[in-house]
Amino acid sequence: MTVFRARQVRALRIAIASGVAAALVLPIGIATALNQLLDSRAATAVSESGVTIPDTPAALIAGLGEGGQLTHLFVAILAADGVGGTVVLLPIGAATETTQPTDAGAATPAPRRLADVYAKEGLAGLASEVQGLLDVSFVAVGALARVELINLFAPLGGVDVLLDREVVTVAVDGTETKLADVGSASHPIDRVVDILLARRGNETESLRFSRHREVWNGIVKRTGAGLEIPPEVDTTPAGLANATNFMRRVFGGALQVWQLSAAPVLDKSLNPRRSDLYSLDRAEVVMVFASVAPSALAGGDVALTVMIDSPFNDPIVSRAAVATLLEAGIGVGVMREISAQEADATVIAADPEVQDALTALLAGGLGAIQAQEWATSVTGIDASITLGTDFANLVRNGGK
């Protein structure tokens, strides 16, 4: 990673954390460049000559550890060409959008941890909460225990994992087992799964999340250009409804991973029990899923939905644009990093009425605006917005 790219990562971490110092580590990608995720095959497949958003189905996968507890959680997205894709890691301590009384007769309801939702309501309850939290629909939902995860990852043979602290797991009976030391080592698949599912008493998820990132870094490298898809895998659309089958397709091509940032919820009114609870960054969530899973976005209650094109290959600028649009009550359905000549003004391509409405809602939030006719519309998208250097410079100078 170059010095400039490292600075971008640090700046994005600060922007997404919104001033909370203890935010979790941010994104990870295929190898060296943060923008590889945003420059995904899914969103870039939408072109001005096309009329539909490519099919990018998503699956929710829950990893179960000792005692059937939810220990690991991710969303897998299948690439538009039917193999390969993206894995987005979620904290099991993420705060739900829905609230419940914290105690019998409590006056102020509070959000719950996703892990607690699974413990009380099972996989269906978990899927419902995650779908609401991310505004993403799932074609498959699965809960995979240790043996099932080992079988899923078995074709990898082994994975190199770099750890910043030793990994110790605690069994239901309280027995501690050391799984790995600090440093880089190659591990067989059963040990890789154990590292992924490991939990101990007072260990916060912010500490566990770092090793989740490193395990998936190793999986991405081991997958390479893709694993051979076994002949028994159902490659028809119906086969996507099975979570394991879905993941076989994802491993069949190039894989990339993004770890959603999360900040500890310290507000006592929102977290009265001071549990290991985390909030996600809404703008980052939309940026990621609009980039890699545009067809899976459920969409919100908004009057207008747009496609954002950015010629800057800069996720900091992209996230700031998404945040600006969301604050203005405008939905984002597609996010693309494109190769194009940069221009000073942000260009809005749409029907005149939509152009006027967007310009009024944005109130200068994306810098100088230039209106342009949109020759070919995309189904479900009201306008195309191409970011300009006026806005990019404002973001880079700390104005957004």
Side-chain angles (χ1 to χ4, degrees), residues 23 29 45 160 175 188 200 210 276 280 309-310 335 363 368 382 396:
D160 294 333
T175 303
R200 61 191 307 184
S210 63
D276 195 29
L280 303 182
D309 285 344
S310 173
M335 174 80 231
D382 298 297
R396 289 164 176 167

Side-chain angles (χ1 to χ4, degrees), residues 40-56 80 290-291 294-295 307 309 333-336 338 374 376-379 381:
S40 67
R41 289 165 290 168
T44 54
V46 179
S47 66
E48 295 301 326
S49 61
V51 293
T52 59
I53 294 172
D55 191 24
T56 51
S291 297
S295 76
M307 174 172 70
D309 285 344
V334 179
M335 174 80 231
R336 305 190 301 177
I338 61 172
W374 198 12
T376 305
S377 62
V378 175
T379 302
I381 301 296

Side-chain angles (χ1 to χ4, degrees), residues 58-61 73-77 86-90 130 134 138 289:
L60 179 67
I61 311 294
L73 188 64
F74 63 90
V75 175
I77 300 101
T86 304
V87 166
V88 180
L89 306 182
L90 305 176
V130 175
L134 304 178
F138 304 118
F289 286 101

